[in-house]
Amino acid sequence: SLTVSSTKLIECSTNSFSPESVRLVGGAGLCSGRVEVKSNQSWASVCEADFDRQDAEVVCRDVGCGAPAALQGGLYGEGEGQTWDKEFQCKGKESLLLDCDTSDRENNTCLPGNAVGLTCSEPDDVRLVGGGSRCAGGVEWYYQGEWRIVGAEDWHVAAVVCRQLGCGSTDSELLGNTNRGFLVYCSGSESSLRECSRSYDLHPGLTVICSDLLVQPDIFLTDPMGGVFRGHQGPEMFRGYNFTITCSTQPQYPGGSFLLTFTGSNRTQTQPAVNHSAAFLFPAADDSHQGNYSCVYDNYVFSHNFSSESELLSLTITASPLPAFIIRHVVVLLILLTSIITSYLYYKVKTFTQTLQVI
């Protein structure tokens, strides 16, 4: 301690760790590599004999990754610097490696090939909550065992969040009214928030809306007369048969509309989404219906227009083995015959029941 005056005393910490006290080096990303700890402004590798599963759990948590997946000496090569001269005594529940106790090593030598390598699982450590979609909402980061609200001072953090979640680019972002989130700094080029800097200064929570807000809609073909069958290039339809193309999407937001597009033609059809789907009826298939179709779902959400397009449906029109009008007559006759047989059987059963009652 250092005495400044007779009434004030300042105590200086003797902990040799810096706030960024541990890193994983030489792996494929931030969650794998050789364990190195920082002391006195230099990095030192850790000997496998001085490191166990509980220590690994704390290191993975400290660097913002998931649970330990692999722990092995020499897994990521040898360090170029010194070897850490302490042994960690972590209990496995600490948030930071600097929270763990240490003790002097029993053996001051570490044989080659024993620098400990660690692979942590990649966590789903970022999420957007409260926006009705995985691509919209308040930003939360799973850090040191809990979900924490994220604050930011510019749009770079929003860009990284959308990129990490696979939600396209940033459509809009806004800050809350109260300081609830810890501050994150990004340049905008990072692939995940784990590559950004962070501060424990409280800032307004960040809400992000990404461009890929709407899930991809589905498109499928049906017909009531059995005129469609699966060909080598996709569904094939007999000429003269009616068919329906249905567009549907998951129930994220109410309303919206579906646009059915036809590749190679300006012909489009639009219908409102009813129960998150729309059906487009074609009364008689001919060669002009052959081609690629897609569904585009449009919706006005969060004061912005969003759209999402389905995969292509490739439809081939082919000659029917029988004229369509003949098949229609056959279908009608079969329905009529079924009705007659059903009525006859019902009459016979009723008559037989009445006869038994008389007897």
Side-chain angles (χ1 to χ4, degrees):
S1 62
L2 175 65
T3 302
V4 179
S5 68
S6 60
T7 58
K8 295 183 179 180
L9 183 68
I10 298 177
E11 293 186 355
C12 301
S13 172
T14 59
N15 195 325
S16 60
F17 287 109
S18 68
E20 299 254 331
S21 61
V22 62
R23 67 182 183 181
L24 300 178
V25 182
L30 294 176
C31 291
S32 63
R34 183 177 60 257
V35 179
E36 293 188 351
V37 296
K38 191 174 186 180
S39 177
N40 298 323
Q41 304 305 312
S42 62
W43 290 96
S45 58
V46 178
C47 193
E48 181 183 18
D50 306 324
F51 199 84
D52 59 18
R53 179 78 181 188
Q54 292 175 315
D55 301 330
E57 290 177 358
V58 177
V59 169
C60 289
R61 187 178 301 119
D62 196 344
V63 297
C65 299
L71 175 64
Q72 181 181 335
L75 188 62
Y76 294 102
E78 295 295 316
E80 297 180 357
Q82 59 182 335
T83 300
W84 179 244
D85 60 358
K86 299 288 185 181
E87 182 177 351
F88 292 106
Q89 304 289 339
C90 299
K91 297 180 176 62
K93 301 298 183 182
E94 296 88 348
S95 298
L96 302 172
L97 190 62
L98 58 82
D99 294 333
C100 298
D101 294 330
T102 60
S103 61
D104 294 332
R105 293 179 58 200
E106 295 182 0
N107 190 345
N108 290 328
T109 61
C110 187
L111 297 176
N114 285 336
V116 68
L118 176 62
T119 300
C120 309
S121 60
E122 295 283 347
D124 294 330
D125 60 351
V126 173
R127 66 183 182 183
L128 300 177
V129 297
S133 167
R134 61 176 298 272
C135 294
V139 182
E140 291 187 351
W141 187 3
Y142 192 77
Y143 183 66
Q144 296 181 354
E146 62 179 342
W147 287 102
R148 302 189 180 190
I149 297 173
V150 170
E153 294 182 334
D154 54 41
W155 61 270
H156 295 304
V157 174
V160 174
V161 169
C162 290
R163 184 181 303 118
Q164 180 175 350
L165 294 175
C167 291
S169 58
T170 306
D171 184 88
S172 62
E173 71 280 339
L174 55 93
L175 297 175
N177 297 322
T178 58
N179 292 340
R180 300 176 57 198
F182 73 105
L183 186 61
V184 176
Y185 301 93
C186 300
S187 68
S189 61
E190 297 87 349
S191 60
S192 70
L193 283 190
R194 292 192 300 275
E195 300 174 21
C196 301
S197 301
R198 54 187 175 268
S199 166
Y200 291 99
D201 296 334
L202 291 180
H203 273 64
L206 176 66
T207 296
V208 174
I209 301 171
C210 304
S211 59
D212 295 348
L213 176 73
L214 304 177
V215 299
Q216 185 179 40
D218 296 316
I219 181 171
F220 54 94
L221 175 71
T222 57
D223 80 292
M225 297 175 57
V228 65
F229 62 96
R230 177 62 59 178
H232 295 293
Q233 304 298 324
E236 297 187 10
M237 190 75 204
F238 291 138
R239 291 190 187 94
Y241 286 74
N242 58 33
F243 64 95
T244 301
I245 293 179
T246 302
C247 304
S248 65
T249 188
Q250 296 180 16
Q252 288 179 283
Y253 306 101
S257 62
F258 286 100
L259 173 69
L260 181 66
T261 65
F262 181 62
T263 304
S265 171
N266 293 326
R267 183 174 58 196
T268 60
Q269 300 183 50
T270 302
Q271 287 194 28
V274 178
N275 294 326
H276 312 289
S277 66
F280 299 86
L281 176 64
F282 296 82
D286 58 41
D287 291 342
S288 67
H289 295 123
Q290 180 167 301
N292 296 321
Y293 295 83
S294 68
C295 294
V296 179
Y297 177 59
D298 296 304
N299 207 341
Y300 186 74
V301 188
F302 301 119
S303 302
H304 289 76
N305 288 308
F306 292 90
S307 64
S308 181
E309 186 171 4
S310 70
E311 296 180 349
L312 288 178
L313 174 70
S314 181
L315 178 62
T316 301
I317 306 299
T318 186
S320 172
L322 291 174
F325 74 91
I326 293 179
I327 294 184
R328 289 195 188 97
H329 283 82
V330 170
V331 171
V332 171
L333 288 174
L334 287 174
I335 294 174
L336 181 60
L337 181 60
T338 302
S339 300
I340 293 174
I341 293 174
T342 302
S343 299
Y344 174 75
L345 291 176
Y346 174 77
Y347 173 77
K348 293 292 291 182
V349 171
K350 183 177 180 180
T351 303
F352 181 72
T353 303
Q354 291 176 347
T355 302
L356 291 177
Q357 291 176 349
V358 172
I359 296 175

